[in-house]
PDB file of all heavy atoms in Angstrom:
ATOM      1  N   GLY A   1     -26.919  32.543  15.088  1.00 91.00           N
ATOM      2  CA  GLY A   1     -28.071  31.817  14.590  1.00 91.00           C
ATOM      3  C   GLY A   1     -28.967  31.376  15.741  1.00 91.00           C
ATOM      4  O   GLY A   1     -28.525  31.269  16.895  1.00 91.00           O
ATOM      5  N   PRO A   2     -30.242  31.104  15.472  1.00 88.00           N
ATOM      6  CA  PRO A   2     -31.186  30.766  16.543  1.00 88.00           C
ATOM      7  C   PRO A   2     -30.767  29.578  17.398  1.00 88.00           C
ATOM      8  O   PRO A   2     -30.861  29.628  18.626  1.00 88.00           O
ATOM      9  CB  PRO A   2     -32.480  30.472  15.779  1.00 88.00           C
ATOM     10  CG  PRO A   2     -32.365  31.242  14.512  1.00 88.00           C
ATOM     11  CD  PRO A   2     -30.907  31.207  14.162  1.00 88.00           C
ATOM     12  N   VAL A   3     -30.298  28.496  16.771  1.00 88.00           N
ATOM     13  CA  VAL A   3     -29.880  27.333  17.547  1.00 88.00           C
ATOM     14  C   VAL A   3     -28.654  27.668  18.382  1.00 88.00           C
ATOM     15  O   VAL A   3     -28.572  27.359  19.576  1.00 88.00           O
ATOM     16  CB  VAL A   3     -29.582  26.129  16.624  1.00 88.00           C
ATOM     17  CG1 VAL A   3     -29.120  24.932  17.445  1.00 88.00           C
ATOM     18  CG2 VAL A   3     -30.818  25.755  15.815  1.00 88.00           C
ATOM     19  N   THR A   4     -27.701  28.337  17.772  1.00 92.00           N
ATOM     20  CA  THR A   4     -26.457  28.652  18.456  1.00 92.00           C
ATOM     21  C   THR A   4     -26.681  29.589  19.635  1.00 92.00           C
ATOM     22  O   THR A   4     -26.095  29.413  20.712  1.00 92.00           O
ATOM     23  CB  THR A   4     -25.464  29.302  17.476  1.00 92.00           C
ATOM     24  OG1 THR A   4     -25.432  28.538  16.270  1.00 92.00           O
ATOM     25  CG2 THR A   4     -24.069  29.354  18.056  1.00 92.00           C
ATOM     26  N   MET A   5     -27.514  30.597  19.453  1.00 91.00           N
ATOM     27  CA  MET A   5     -27.790  31.532  20.545  1.00 91.00           C
ATOM     28  C   MET A   5     -28.405  30.810  21.734  1.00 91.00           C
ATOM     29  O   MET A   5     -28.193  31.188  22.886  1.00 91.00           O
ATOM     30  CB  MET A   5     -28.710  32.643  20.054  1.00 91.00           C
ATOM     31  CG  MET A   5     -28.052  33.610  19.092  1.00 91.00           C
ATOM     32  SD  MET A   5     -26.847  34.717  19.873  1.00 91.00           S
ATOM     33  CE  MET A   5     -27.940  35.964  20.536  1.00 91.00           C
ATOM     34  N   THR A   6     -29.171  29.769  21.460  1.00 87.00           N
ATOM     35  CA  THR A   6     -29.757  28.986  22.544  1.00 87.00           C
ATOM     36  C   THR A   6     -28.691  28.187  23.276  1.00 87.00           C
ATOM     37  O   THR A   6     -28.602  28.196  24.505  1.00 87.00           O
ATOM     38  CB  THR A   6     -30.833  28.039  21.997  1.00 87.00           C
ATOM     39  OG1 THR A   6     -31.834  28.797  21.304  1.00 87.00           O
ATOM     40  CG2 THR A   6     -31.507  27.264  23.120  1.00 87.00           C
ATOM     41  N   PHE A   7     -27.868  27.474  22.511  1.00 88.00           N
ATOM     42  CA  PHE A   7     -26.874  26.590  23.116  1.00 88.00           C
ATOM     43  C   PHE A   7     -25.753  27.342  23.827  1.00 88.00           C
ATOM     44  O   PHE A   7     -25.082  26.786  24.706  1.00 88.00           O
ATOM     45  CB  PHE A   7     -26.271  25.667  22.061  1.00 88.00           C
ATOM     46  CG  PHE A   7     -27.222  24.627  21.536  1.00 88.00           C
ATOM     47  CD1 PHE A   7     -26.876  23.853  20.445  1.00 88.00           C
ATOM     48  CD2 PHE A   7     -28.458  24.419  22.121  1.00 88.00           C
ATOM     49  CE1 PHE A   7     -27.752  22.879  19.948  1.00 88.00           C
ATOM     50  CE2 PHE A   7     -29.333  23.459  21.646  1.00 88.00           C
ATOM     51  CZ  PHE A   7     -28.981  22.693  20.551  1.00 88.00           C
ATOM     52  N   THR A   8     -25.497  28.608  23.436  1.00 91.00           N
ATOM     53  CA  THR A   8     -24.395  29.376  24.031  1.00 91.00           C
ATOM     54  C   THR A   8     -24.898  30.459  24.983  1.00 91.00           C
ATOM     55  O   THR A   8     -24.158  31.385  25.317  1.00 91.00           O
ATOM     56  CB  THR A   8     -23.533  30.033  22.936  1.00 91.00           C
ATOM     57  OG1 THR A   8     -24.352  30.927  22.166  1.00 91.00           O
ATOM     58  CG2 THR A   8     -22.917  28.990  22.023  1.00 91.00           C
ATOM     59  N   TYR A   9     -26.167  30.342  25.399  1.00 85.00           N
ATOM     60  CA  TYR A   9     -26.765  31.304  26.340  1.00 85.00           C
ATOM     61  C   TYR A   9     -26.635  32.739  25.828  1.00 85.00           C
ATOM     62  O   TYR A   9     -26.199  33.647  26.532  1.00 85.00           O
ATOM     63  CB  TYR A   9     -26.136  31.182  27.729  1.00 85.00           C
ATOM     64  CG  TYR A   9     -26.335  29.832  28.360  1.00 85.00           C
ATOM     65  CD1 TYR A   9     -25.323  28.880  28.325  1.00 85.00           C
ATOM     66  CD2 TYR A   9     -27.547  29.490  28.962  1.00 85.00           C
ATOM     67  CE1 TYR A   9     -25.507  27.618  28.883  1.00 85.00           C
ATOM     68  CE2 TYR A   9     -27.744  28.233  29.515  1.00 85.00           C
ATOM     69  CZ  TYR A   9     -26.731  27.300  29.474  1.00 85.00           C
ATOM     70  OH  TYR A   9     -26.921  26.059  30.019  1.00 85.00           O
ATOM     71  N   GLY A  10     -27.015  32.922  24.567  1.00 88.00           N
ATOM     72  CA  GLY A  10     -26.972  34.262  24.005  1.00 88.00           C
ATOM     73  C   GLY A  10     -25.574  34.736  23.695  1.00 88.00           C
ATOM     74  O   GLY A  10     -25.256  35.911  23.849  1.00 88.00           O
ATOM     75  N   ARG A  11     -24.706  33.800  23.271  1.00 92.00           N
ATOM     76  CA  ARG A  11     -23.328  34.101  22.847  1.00 92.00           C
ATOM     77  C   ARG A  11     -22.412  34.436  24.021  1.00 92.00           C
ATOM     78  O   ARG A  11     -21.366  35.048  23.839  1.00 92.00           O
ATOM     79  CB  ARG A  11     -23.313  35.243  21.835  1.00 92.00           C
ATOM     80  CG  ARG A  11     -22.223  35.127  20.767  1.00 92.00           C
ATOM     81  CD  ARG A  11     -22.324  36.231  19.773  1.00 92.00           C
ATOM     82  NE  ARG A  11     -21.129  36.348  18.942  1.00 92.00           N
ATOM     83  CZ  ARG A  11     -20.605  37.497  18.556  1.00 92.00           C
ATOM     84  NH1 ARG A  11     -21.163  38.633  18.921  1.00 92.00           N
ATOM     85  NH2 ARG A  11     -19.530  37.539  17.802  1.00 92.00           N
ATOM     86  N   LYS A  12     -22.796  34.023  25.222  1.00 92.00           N
ATOM     87  CA  LYS A  12     -21.884  34.169  26.354  1.00 92.00           C
ATOM     88  C   LYS A  12     -20.714  33.198  26.216  1.00 92.00           C
ATOM     89  O   LYS A  12     -19.658  33.402  26.808  1.00 92.00           O
ATOM     90  CB  LYS A  12     -22.628  33.939  27.667  1.00 92.00           C
ATOM     91  CG  LYS A  12     -23.569  35.082  28.041  1.00 92.00           C
ATOM     92  CD  LYS A  12     -24.177  34.881  29.422  1.00 92.00           C
ATOM     93  CE  LYS A  12     -25.029  36.080  29.807  1.00 92.00           C
ATOM     94  NZ  LYS A  12     -25.627  35.928  31.156  1.00 92.00           N
ATOM     95  N   GLN A  13     -20.938  32.123  25.485  1.00 94.00           N
ATOM     96  CA  GLN A  13     -19.881  31.192  25.136  1.00 94.00           C
ATOM     97  C   GLN A  13     -19.647  31.269  23.629  1.00 94.00           C
ATOM     98  O   GLN A  13     -20.486  31.788  22.898  1.00 94.00           O
ATOM     99  CB  GLN A  13     -20.272  29.771  25.542  1.00 94.00           C
ATOM    100  CG  GLN A  13     -20.531  29.612  27.036  1.00 94.00           C
ATOM    101  CD  GLN A  13     -21.194  28.294  27.388  1.00 94.00           C
ATOM    102  OE1 GLN A  13     -21.909  27.710  26.576  1.00 94.00           O
ATOM    103  NE2 GLN A  13     -20.966  27.824  28.597  1.00 94.00           N
ATOM    104  N   MET A  14     -18.520  30.786  23.179  1.00 96.00           N
ATOM    105  CA  MET A  14     -18.221  30.776  21.744  1.00 96.00           C
ATOM    106  C   MET A  14     -18.595  29.418  21.169  1.00 96.00           C
ATOM    107  O   MET A  14     -18.179  28.385  21.685  1.00 96.00           O
ATOM    108  CB  MET A  14     -16.744  31.064  21.485  1.00 96.00           C
ATOM    109  CG  MET A  14     -16.366  30.949  20.009  1.00 96.00           C
ATOM    110  SD  MET A  14     -14.601  31.219  19.671  1.00 96.00           S
ATOM    111  CE  MET A  14     -14.530  33.005  19.763  1.00 96.00           C
ATOM    112  N   SER A  15     -19.368  29.432  20.104  1.00 96.00           N
ATOM    113  CA  SER A  15     -19.758  28.189  19.448  1.00 96.00           C
ATOM    114  C   SER A  15     -18.646  27.701  18.535  1.00 96.00           C
ATOM    115  O   SER A  15     -17.718  28.436  18.187  1.00 96.00           O
ATOM    116  CB  SER A  15     -21.022  28.408  18.615  1.00 96.00           C
ATOM    117  OG  SER A  15     -20.737  29.251  17.506  1.00 96.00           O
ATOM    118  N   TYR A  16     -18.759  26.439  18.110  1.00 97.00           N
ATOM    119  CA  TYR A  16     -17.799  25.918  17.147  1.00 97.00           C
ATOM    120  C   TYR A  16     -17.989  26.564  15.777  1.00 97.00           C
ATOM    121  O   TYR A  16     -17.026  26.674  15.005  1.00 97.00           O
ATOM    122  CB  TYR A  16     -17.883  24.394  17.063  1.00 97.00           C
ATOM    123  CG  TYR A  16     -17.040  23.731  18.114  1.00 97.00           C
ATOM    124  CD1 TYR A  16     -17.605  23.151  19.239  1.00 97.00           C
ATOM    125  CD2 TYR A  16     -15.651  23.719  17.996  1.00 97.00           C
ATOM    126  CE1 TYR A  16     -16.815  22.562  20.218  1.00 97.00           C
ATOM    127  CE2 TYR A  16     -14.847  23.139  18.968  1.00 97.00           C
ATOM    128  CZ  TYR A  16     -15.430  22.562  20.078  1.00 97.00           C
ATOM    129  OH  TYR A  16     -14.634  21.999  21.051  1.00 97.00           O
ATOM    130  N   ASP A  17     -19.213  27.004  15.454  1.00 97.00           N
ATOM    131  CA  ASP A  17     -19.407  27.743  14.206  1.00 97.00           C
ATOM    132  C   ASP A  17     -18.510  28.969  14.180  1.00 97.00           C
ATOM    133  O   ASP A  17     -17.790  29.224  13.199  1.00 97.00           O
ATOM    134  CB  ASP A  17     -20.869  28.184  14.077  1.00 97.00           C
ATOM    135  CG  ASP A  17     -21.798  27.059  13.692  1.00 97.00           C
ATOM    136  OD1 ASP A  17     -21.315  26.039  13.172  1.00 97.00           O
ATOM    137  OD2 ASP A  17     -23.015  27.192  13.916  1.00 97.00           O
ATOM    138  N   GLU A  18     -18.551  29.749  15.261  1.00 98.00           N
ATOM    139  CA  GLU A  18     -17.739  30.965  15.322  1.00 98.00           C
ATOM    140  C   GLU A  18     -16.253  30.627  15.447  1.00 98.00           C
ATOM    141  O   GLU A  18     -15.406  31.283  14.830  1.00 98.00           O
ATOM    142  CB  GLU A  18     -18.181  31.830  16.506  1.00 98.00           C
ATOM    143  CG  GLU A  18     -17.453  33.157  16.576  1.00 98.00           C
ATOM    144  CD  GLU A  18     -17.976  34.078  17.666  1.00 98.00           C
ATOM    145  OE1 GLU A  18     -18.898  33.677  18.407  1.00 98.00           O
ATOM    146  OE2 GLU A  18     -17.456  35.215  17.770  1.00 98.00           O
ATOM    147  N   TYR A  19     -15.938  29.614  16.226  1.00 98.00           N
ATOM    148  CA  TYR A  19     -14.542  29.217  16.443  1.00 98.00           C
ATOM    149  C   TYR A  19     -13.864  28.858  15.127  1.00 98.00           C
ATOM    150  O   TYR A  19     -12.760  29.341  14.827  1.00 98.00           O
ATOM    151  CB  TYR A  19     -14.509  28.025  17.404  1.00 98.00           C
ATOM    152  CG  TYR A  19     -13.145  27.442  17.640  1.00 98.00           C
ATOM    153  CD1 TYR A  19     -12.334  27.922  18.662  1.00 98.00           C
ATOM    154  CD2 TYR A  19     -12.661  26.389  16.848  1.00 98.00           C
ATOM    155  CE1 TYR A  19     -11.070  27.385  18.897  1.00 98.00           C
ATOM    156  CE2 TYR A  19     -11.405  25.852  17.071  1.00 98.00           C
ATOM    157  CZ  TYR A  19     -10.615  26.344  18.096  1.00 98.00           C
ATOM    158  OH  TYR A  19      -9.366  25.811  18.311  1.00 98.00           O
ATOM    159  N   TYR A  20     -14.523  28.019  14.323  1.00 98.00           N
ATOM    160  CA  TYR A  20     -13.876  27.572  13.086  1.00 98.00           C
ATOM    161  C   TYR A  20     -13.977  28.607  11.971  1.00 98.00           C
ATOM    162  O   TYR A  20     -13.135  28.616  11.064  1.00 98.00           O
ATOM    163  CB  TYR A  20     -14.433  26.213  12.654  1.00 98.00           C
ATOM    164  CG  TYR A  20     -13.681  25.077  13.313  1.00 98.00           C
ATOM    165  CD1 TYR A  20     -14.289  24.267  14.257  1.00 98.00           C
ATOM    166  CD2 TYR A  20     -12.346  24.841  13.011  1.00 98.00           C
ATOM    167  CE1 TYR A  20     -13.594  23.237  14.882  1.00 98.00           C
ATOM    168  CE2 TYR A  20     -11.634  23.827  13.621  1.00 98.00           C
ATOM    169  CZ  TYR A  20     -12.258  23.032  14.561  1.00 98.00           C
ATOM    170  OH  TYR A  20     -11.546  22.039  15.181  1.00 98.00           O
ATOM    171  N   ASN A  21     -14.971  29.491  12.031  1.00 98.00           N
ATOM    172  CA  ASN A  21     -15.001  30.584  11.067  1.00 98.00           C
ATOM    173  C   ASN A  21     -13.830  31.530  11.326  1.00 98.00           C
ATOM    174  O   ASN A  21     -13.148  31.971  10.394  1.00 98.00           O
ATOM    175  CB  ASN A  21     -16.321  31.346  11.158  1.00 98.00           C
ATOM    176  CG  ASN A  21     -16.404  32.468  10.137  1.00 98.00           C
ATOM    177  OD1 ASN A  21     -16.433  32.228   8.935  1.00 98.00           O
ATOM    178  ND2 ASN A  21     -16.434  33.698  10.618  1.00 98.00           N
ATOM    179  N   ALA A  22     -13.586  31.830  12.604  1.00 98.00           N
ATOM    180  CA  ALA A  22     -12.434  32.676  12.946  1.00 98.00           C
ATOM    181  C   ALA A  22     -11.125  32.002  12.547  1.00 98.00           C
ATOM    182  O   ALA A  22     -10.200  32.653  12.035  1.00 98.00           O
ATOM    183  CB  ALA A  22     -12.449  32.976  14.441  1.00 98.00           C
ATOM    184  N   ASP A  23     -11.047  30.702  12.762  1.00 98.00           N
ATOM    185  CA  ASP A  23      -9.848  29.957  12.383  1.00 98.00           C
ATOM    186  C   ASP A  23      -9.605  30.032  10.879  1.00 98.00           C
ATOM    187  O   ASP A  23      -8.466  30.219  10.428  1.00 98.00           O
ATOM    188  CB  ASP A  23      -9.994  28.500  12.819  1.00 98.00           C
ATOM    189  CG  ASP A  23      -8.799  27.648  12.421  1.00 98.00           C
ATOM    190  OD1 ASP A  23      -7.713  27.828  13.017  1.00 98.00           O
ATOM    191  OD2 ASP A  23      -8.940  26.798  11.508  1.00 98.00           O
ATOM    192  N   LEU A  24     -10.669  29.908  10.092  1.00 98.00           N
ATOM    193  CA  LEU A  24     -10.537  29.990   8.637  1.00 98.00           C
ATOM    194  C   LEU A  24     -10.003  31.358   8.219  1.00 98.00           C
ATOM    195  O   LEU A  24      -9.088  31.459   7.387  1.00 98.00           O
ATOM    196  CB  LEU A  24     -11.893  29.726   7.970  1.00 98.00           C
ATOM    197  CG  LEU A  24     -11.938  29.924   6.451  1.00 98.00           C
ATOM    198  CD1 LEU A  24     -11.033  28.924   5.744  1.00 98.00           C
ATOM    199  CD2 LEU A  24     -13.368  29.804   5.930  1.00 98.00           C
ATOM    200  N   HIS A  25     -10.554  32.422   8.793  1.00 98.00           N
ATOM    201  CA  HIS A  25     -10.106  33.761   8.398  1.00 98.00           C
ATOM    202  C   HIS A  25      -8.675  34.037   8.848  1.00 98.00           C
ATOM    203  O   HIS A  25      -7.926  34.739   8.144  1.00 98.00           O
ATOM    204  CB  HIS A  25     -11.078  34.816   8.935  1.00 98.00           C
ATOM    205  CG  HIS A  25     -12.324  34.918   8.125  1.00 98.00           C
ATOM    206  ND1 HIS A  25     -12.332  35.449   6.850  1.00 98.00           N
ATOM    207  CD2 HIS A  25     -13.602  34.530   8.375  1.00 98.00           C
ATOM    208  CE1 HIS A  25     -13.558  35.406   6.357  1.00 98.00           C
ATOM    209  NE2 HIS A  25     -14.352  34.842   7.260  1.00 98.00           N
ATOM    210  N   ARG A  26      -8.267  33.486   9.981  1.00 98.00           N
ATOM    211  CA  ARG A  26      -6.862  33.633  10.382  1.00 98.00           C
ATOM    212  C   ARG A  26      -5.942  32.950   9.376  1.00 98.00           C
ATOM    213  O   ARG A  26      -4.879  33.478   9.023  1.00 98.00           O
ATOM    214  CB  ARG A  26      -6.657  33.055  11.784  1.00 98.00           C
ATOM    215  CG  ARG A  26      -7.127  33.964  12.909  1.00 98.00           C
ATOM    216  CD  ARG A  26      -6.620  33.474  14.256  1.00 98.00           C
ATOM    217  NE  ARG A  26      -7.231  32.215  14.645  1.00 98.00           N
ATOM    218  CZ  ARG A  26      -8.333  32.113  15.378  1.00 98.00           C
ATOM    219  NH1 ARG A  26      -8.946  33.213  15.795  1.00 98.00           N
ATOM    220  NH2 ARG A  26      -8.806  30.937  15.706  1.00 98.00           N
ATOM    221  N   ARG A  27      -6.359  31.795   8.890  1.00 98.00           N
ATOM    222  CA  ARG A  27      -5.549  31.065   7.906  1.00 98.00           C
ATOM    223  C   ARG A  27      -5.473  31.838   6.587  1.00 98.00           C
ATOM    224  O   ARG A  27      -4.423  31.860   5.921  1.00 98.00           O
ATOM    225  CB  ARG A  27      -6.133  29.679   7.677  1.00 98.00           C
ATOM    226  CG  ARG A  27      -6.130  28.792   8.917  1.00 98.00           C
ATOM    227  CD  ARG A  27      -6.847  27.487   8.647  1.00 98.00           C
ATOM    228  NE  ARG A  27      -6.032  26.605   7.842  1.00 98.00           N
ATOM    229  CZ  ARG A  27      -5.481  25.479   8.271  1.00 98.00           C
ATOM    230  NH1 ARG A  27      -5.657  25.108   9.539  1.00 98.00           N
ATOM    231  NH2 ARG A  27      -4.766  24.729   7.479  1.00 98.00           N
ATOM    232  N   ILE A  28      -6.594  32.439   6.193  1.00 98.00           N
ATOM    233  CA  ILE A  28      -6.599  33.225   4.950  1.00 98.00           C
ATOM    234  C   ILE A  28      -5.657  34.420   5.072  1.00 98.00           C
ATOM    235  O   ILE A  28      -4.851  34.698   4.163  1.00 98.00           O
ATOM    236  CB  ILE A  28      -8.032  33.683   4.618  1.00 98.00           C
ATOM    237  CG1 ILE A  28      -8.900  32.484   4.230  1.00 98.00           C
ATOM    238  CG2 ILE A  28      -8.017  34.723   3.488  1.00 98.00           C
ATOM    239  CD1 ILE A  28     -10.365  32.805   4.098  1.00 98.00           C
ATOM    240  N   LEU A  29      -5.739  35.141   6.201  1.00 98.00           N
ATOM    241  CA  LEU A  29      -4.872  36.302   6.398  1.00 98.00           C
ATOM    242  C   LEU A  29      -3.400  35.894   6.415  1.00 98.00           C
ATOM    243  O   LEU A  29      -2.544  36.573   5.826  1.00 98.00           O
ATOM    244  CB  LEU A  29      -5.239  37.004   7.703  1.00 98.00           C
ATOM    245  CG  LEU A  29      -6.550  37.797   7.702  1.00 98.00           C
ATOM    246  CD1 LEU A  29      -6.884  38.271   9.112  1.00 98.00           C
ATOM    247  CD2 LEU A  29      -6.459  38.988   6.750  1.00 98.00           C
ATOM    248  N   ALA A  30      -3.103  34.775   7.072  1.00 97.00           N
ATOM    249  CA  ALA A  30      -1.717  34.297   7.130  1.00 97.00           C
ATOM    250  C   ALA A  30      -1.215  33.900   5.757  1.00 97.00           C
ATOM    251  O   ALA A  30      -0.054  34.188   5.390  1.00 97.00           O
ATOM    252  CB  ALA A  30      -1.622  33.119   8.095  1.00 97.00           C
ATOM    253  N   ALA A  31      -2.064  33.251   4.959  1.00 97.00           N
ATOM    254  CA  ALA A  31      -1.661  32.833   3.607  1.00 97.00           C
ATOM    255  C   ALA A  31      -1.424  34.045   2.715  1.00 97.00           C
ATOM    256  O   ALA A  31      -0.470  34.062   1.914  1.00 97.00           O
ATOM    257  CB  ALA A  31      -2.738  31.930   3.009  1.00 97.00           C
ATOM    258  N   LYS A  32      -2.282  35.048   2.819  1.00 97.00           N
ATOM    259  CA  LYS A  32      -2.095  36.264   2.026  1.00 97.00           C
ATOM    260  C   LYS A  32      -0.756  36.926   2.357  1.00 97.00           C
ATOM    261  O   LYS A  32      -0.006  37.340   1.466  1.00 97.00           O
ATOM    262  CB  LYS A  32      -3.237  37.247   2.281  1.00 97.00           C
ATOM    263  CG  LYS A  32      -4.559  36.872   1.633  1.00 97.00           C
ATOM    264  CD  LYS A  32      -5.630  37.912   1.931  1.00 97.00           C
ATOM    265  CE  LYS A  32      -5.249  39.279   1.383  1.00 97.00           C
ATOM    266  NZ  LYS A  32      -6.296  40.285   1.633  1.00 97.00           N
ATOM    267  N   LYS A  33      -0.450  37.018   3.650  1.00 97.00           N
ATOM    268  CA  LYS A  33       0.793  37.657   4.075  1.00 97.00           C
ATOM    269  C   LYS A  33       2.006  36.855   3.625  1.00 97.00           C
ATOM    270  O   LYS A  33       2.986  37.413   3.106  1.00 97.00           O
ATOM    271  CB  LYS A  33       0.783  37.811   5.592  1.00 97.00           C
ATOM    272  CG  LYS A  33       2.003  38.526   6.148  1.00 97.00           C
ATOM    273  CD  LYS A  33       1.891  38.701   7.660  1.00 97.00           C
ATOM    274  CE  LYS A  33       3.118  39.424   8.212  1.00 97.00           C
ATOM    275  NZ  LYS A  33       3.016  39.598   9.697  1.00 97.00           N
ATOM    276  N   LYS A  34       1.944  35.545   3.806  1.00 96.00           N
ATOM    277  CA  LYS A  34       3.079  34.681   3.476  1.00 96.00           C
ATOM    278  C   LYS A  34       3.338  34.638   1.979  1.00 96.00           C
ATOM    279  O   LYS A  34       4.504  34.649   1.533  1.00 96.00           O
ATOM    280  CB  LYS A  34       2.810  33.272   4.004  1.00 96.00           C
ATOM    281  CG  LYS A  34       3.920  32.273   3.676  1.00 96.00           C
ATOM    282  CD  LYS A  34       3.584  30.893   4.211  1.00 96.00           C
ATOM    283  CE  LYS A  34       4.661  29.886   3.850  1.00 96.00           C
ATOM    284  NZ  LYS A  34       4.322  28.515   4.345  1.00 96.00           N
ATOM    285  N   ASN A  35       2.263  34.611   1.181  1.00 95.00           N
ATOM    286  CA  ASN A  35       2.410  34.399  -0.265  1.00 95.00           C
ATOM    287  C   ASN A  35       2.339  35.686  -1.084  1.00 95.00           C
ATOM    288  O   ASN A  35       2.298  35.630  -2.309  1.00 95.00           O
ATOM    289  CB  ASN A  35       1.334  33.420  -0.750  1.00 95.00           C
ATOM    290  CG  ASN A  35       1.442  32.073  -0.062  1.00 95.00           C
ATOM    291  OD1 ASN A  35       2.500  31.692   0.415  1.00 95.00           O
ATOM    292  ND2 ASN A  35       0.336  31.349  -0.004  1.00 95.00           N
ATOM    293  N   GLY A  36       2.299  36.812  -0.414  1.00 95.00           N
ATOM    294  CA  GLY A  36       2.301  38.076  -1.135  1.00 95.00           C
ATOM    295  C   GLY A  36       1.043  38.308  -1.949  1.00 95.00           C
ATOM    296  O   GLY A  36       1.109  38.752  -3.103  1.00 95.00           O
ATOM    297  N   SER A  37      -0.107  38.032  -1.353  1.00 97.00           N
ATOM    298  CA  SER A  37      -1.369  38.160  -2.079  1.00 97.00           C
ATOM    299  C   SER A  37      -2.141  39.398  -1.629  1.00 97.00           C
ATOM    300  O   SER A  37      -2.190  39.724  -0.440  1.00 97.00           O
ATOM    301  CB  SER A  37      -2.236  36.921  -1.837  1.00 97.00           C
ATOM    302  OG  SER A  37      -3.532  37.092  -2.374  1.00 97.00           O
ATOM    303  N   ASN A  38      -2.737  40.086  -2.609  1.00 97.00           N
ATOM    304  CA  ASN A  38      -3.620  41.216  -2.332  1.00 97.00           C
ATOM    305  C   ASN A  38      -5.085  40.857  -2.610  1.00 97.00           C
ATOM    306  O   ASN A  38      -5.906  41.735  -2.889  1.00 97.00           O
ATOM    307  CB  ASN A  38      -3.214  42.424  -3.179  1.00 97.00           C
ATOM    308  CG  ASN A  38      -1.860  42.972  -2.785  1.00 97.00           C
ATOM    309  OD1 ASN A  38      -1.556  43.136  -1.601  1.00 97.00           O
ATOM    310  ND2 ASN A  38      -1.021  43.252  -3.779  1.00 97.00           N
TER     311      ASN A  38
END
């Protein structure tokens, strides 16, 4: 996003938006595997 690209010098750093989005998807994948979900 425009604000994030500014604050992270063009994504040279990872923003908290990206950090927590990745964290959410890791949790979803882990829950699917653990609970037998397709």
